[in-house]
Amino acid sequence: MGEAIVITSGKGGVGKTTTTANIGAALAQAGQRVALIDADIGLRNLDVVMGLENRIVYDLVDVVEGFAKLKHALIKDKRFENLYLLPAAQTRDKTAVSPDQMRALVGEMKQEFDFVLIDCPAGIEQGFKNAVAGSDKAIVVATPEVSSVRDADRIIGLLEAEEKHHPSLIVNRIRPSMVKKGDMMDIDDMIEILAIDLLGVVPDDEFIVVSTNRGEPAVLNQQSKAGEAYRLISRRLLGENVPLMKLEEEGQGLLGRLRKMMGIKG
Amino acid sequence: MFDLFARVFGREDASKEVAKERLRLVLVHDRSSLSPQALESLKNDLLQVISQYLDIDDQGFRVDFSRHEDAMALVANIPIKKKVSRNL
Ligand SMILES: Nc1ncnc2c1ncn2[C@@H]1O[C@H](COP(=O)(O)OP(=O)(O)O)[C@@H](O)[C@H]1O
Ligand SMILES: [Mg+2]
């Protein structure tokens, strides 16, 4: 029996889909059987981030309505044979499925997979309720900005009211140089405010753009800092006690630091 | 050099401090689900009751809601004026 994890945030555009794709790929890379569900009905995106958009035949709503079998709707990843995607319907809306239907679907998928990762839509309405319904655990993604932390706080409140999902936090798009200058909240600030466990920290990384352009999760690239962060997060999800990623400014080293202190650029 | 200087002496205008303060205020309302008016009168009532016993610095008086595990706690920070006479 596998574990279902919803990746949520309240606010849109903070990295839920990126996180789902990368943790999914990293877990698959580590040999786990993984299924990703795109629960953002009407605004599907996980398929393009994974580079699987050309293979879609059936979607989540087709399965829930009994129009297609689950095994026919699941799309096998190009790179890992133990990684699958259940795409969202694009021409329907959130009301096309109910929390009960999601619970049944996720329950069925947990029989076959070690991990079922659910990419949650933004908001706290029906789409959120659907995405959360079948999940055992929640990962809350937030960026170090006032609006994102505020929305994360709201989501954590809703999840904790159900006393079921043990939410943990991923801080995404940290920029160490801004943190150092005092122009960005750091991890401690965010943990203090939100009062939840920290699962991981992902730096802001240009490579994420390249990786979405190509439809290849960043964890497949050994050079990507964000990819490295997601690999560490996945190991933590597997129960390994690995430390958080050390985030350093560009141009570190003694010379770089000296230059910085003297205000010399380059 | 300025960077180092600023760090040693602490930049008061560091924008993250502004962000944290703004978040603090927003979350008080979000978490309490009290209307701003209700919250204001809660503060005033608290202030009034405590002033009967202590000399409070009402400039620094703060009320927060913070999360502890799965419960919400009302946390009041009530600075007492230095000049309070001590019973020596
Ligand atoms: N760590 C990161 N570094 C740089 N860009 C990022 C990072 N995480 C997300 N992004 C970018 O932010 C945008 C929103 O991300 P996405 O995962 O689609 O958010 P959500 O699913 O929460 O709406 C995308 O353009 C994505 O490429
Ligand atoms: Mg998304």
Side-chain angles (χ1 to χ4, degrees):
Chain A
M1 187 75 158
E3 184 174 41
I5 308 177
V6 63
I7 290 94
T8 181
S9 69
K11 186 171 154 66
V14 298
K16 294 177 292 295
T17 300
T18 307
T19 298
T20 308
N22 279 286
I23 294 181
L27 287 171
Q29 207 167 28
Q32 301 292 310
R33 289 169 302 157
V34 184
L36 312 178
I37 302 180
D38 189 344
D40 203 345
I41 299 171
L43 288 171
R44 91 173 158 218
N45 261 330
L46 190 52
D47 54 336
V48 284
V49 174
M50 295 294 296
L52 300 173
E53 68 276 15
N54 292 327
R55 305 184 176 197
I56 298 179
V57 183
Y58 300 112
D59 59 48
L60 190 157
V61 176
D62 293 329
V63 175
V64 163
E65 291 181 343
F67 184 68
K69 285 225 169 74
L70 175 62
K71 65 176 176 194
H72 295 142
L74 283 169
I75 303 166
K76 194 180 194 168
D77 184 73
K78 299 184 222 171
R79 294 132 301 208
F80 301 104
E81 55 174 50
N82 44 341
L83 178 60
Y84 290 81
L85 169 71
L86 180 59
Q90 184 69 330
T91 52
R92 304 289 294 272
D93 68 62
K94 325 274 184 213
T95 57
V97 292
S98 70
D100 281 338
Q101 288 170 320
M102 282 301 286
R103 220 170 278 129
L105 175 67
V106 174
E108 184 184 345
M109 292 173 76
K110 275 163 51 178
Q111 305 290 330
E112 301 209 14
F113 294 96
D114 300 314
F115 286 93
V116 178
L117 305 183
I118 304 158
D119 183 14
C120 184
I124 53 174
E125 309 300 327
Q126 168 126 23
F128 167 74
K129 290 180 184 137
N130 284 340
V132 165
S135 59
D136 306 302
K137 232 195 216 177
I139 295 176
V140 177
V141 182
T143 58
E145 288 169 278
V146 176
S147 53
S148 171
V149 176
R150 179 192 197 176
D151 290 2
D153 189 77
R154 189 97 162 79
I155 288 291
I156 294 165
L158 292 172
L159 291 169
E160 288 190 340
E162 291 191 34
E163 294 183 11
K164 185 183 142 202
H165 303 282
H166 315 291
S168 61
L169 180 71
I170 291 181
V171 179
N172 189 23
R173 308 199 73 163
I174 277 272
R175 295 173 63 175
S177 59
M178 291 193 73
V179 170
K180 205 164 176 186
K181 275 190 271 175
D183 278 329
M184 183 177 272
M185 283 185 275
D186 62 31
I187 310 301
D188 293 339
D189 296 328
M190 293 182 61
I191 290 297
E192 192 192 320
I193 294 168
L194 293 174
I196 76 171
D197 293 336
L198 181 65
L199 178 64
V201 182
V202 181
D204 194 73
D205 183 0
E206 285 182 5
F207 190 79
I208 292 287
V209 181
V210 177
S211 116
T212 357
N213 285 344
R214 295 197 176 129
E216 289 170 0
V219 289
L220 296 170
N221 184 291
Q222 293 301 317
Q223 261 73 55
S224 163
K225 282 276 172 200
E228 189 186 336
Y230 281 121
R231 282 195 297 275
L232 286 174
I233 289 170
S234 304
R235 288 171 60 189
R236 288 160 74 99
L237 282 176
L238 288 168
E240 271 185 72
N241 193 5
V242 289
L244 290 175
M245 193 161 124
K246 274 255 178 302
L247 296 176
E248 269 144 22
E249 277 187 274
E250 321 79 59
Q252 65 288 57
L254 186 60
L255 196 61
R257 279 207 300 272
L258 265 174
R259 280 206 176 118
K260 194 142 250 152
M261 265 161 82
M262 325 261 276
I264 301 170
K265 286 250 168 77
Chain B
M1 206 63 205
F2 181 74
D3 199 68
L4 180 69
F5 187 82
R7 217 170 312 138
V8 170
F9 294 97
R11 254 178 67 196
E12 277 185 12
D13 65 333
S15 67
K16 85 156 189 183
E17 296 305 330
V18 182
K20 280 164 69 180
E21 181 60 16
R22 291 178 59 218
L23 258 172
R24 197 187 67 76
L25 291 172
V26 178
L27 293 184
V28 172
H29 294 284
D30 289 3
R31 287 174 177 172
S32 67
S33 63
L34 287 177
S35 68
Q37 294 94 313
L39 197 70
E40 207 44 45
S41 71
L42 165 75
K43 275 176 158 177
N44 288 335
D45 288 354
L46 267 177
L47 207 68
Q48 211 190 332
V49 170
I50 296 165
S51 322
Q52 292 171 16
Y53 302 89
L54 295 164
D55 196 6
I56 299 175
D57 168 15
D58 51 7
Q59 289 304 303
F61 180 72
R62 274 182 169 190
V63 171
D64 277 314
F65 285 84
S66 67
R67 197 182 291 116
H68 291 277
E69 312 271 293
D70 48 2
M72 211 58 91
L74 173 73
V75 182
N77 188 359
I78 311 169
I80 295 162
K81 282 204 177 130
K82 285 212 183 76
K83 280 180 296 188
V84 157
S85 63
R86 274 193 238 162
N87 299 322
L88 290 174

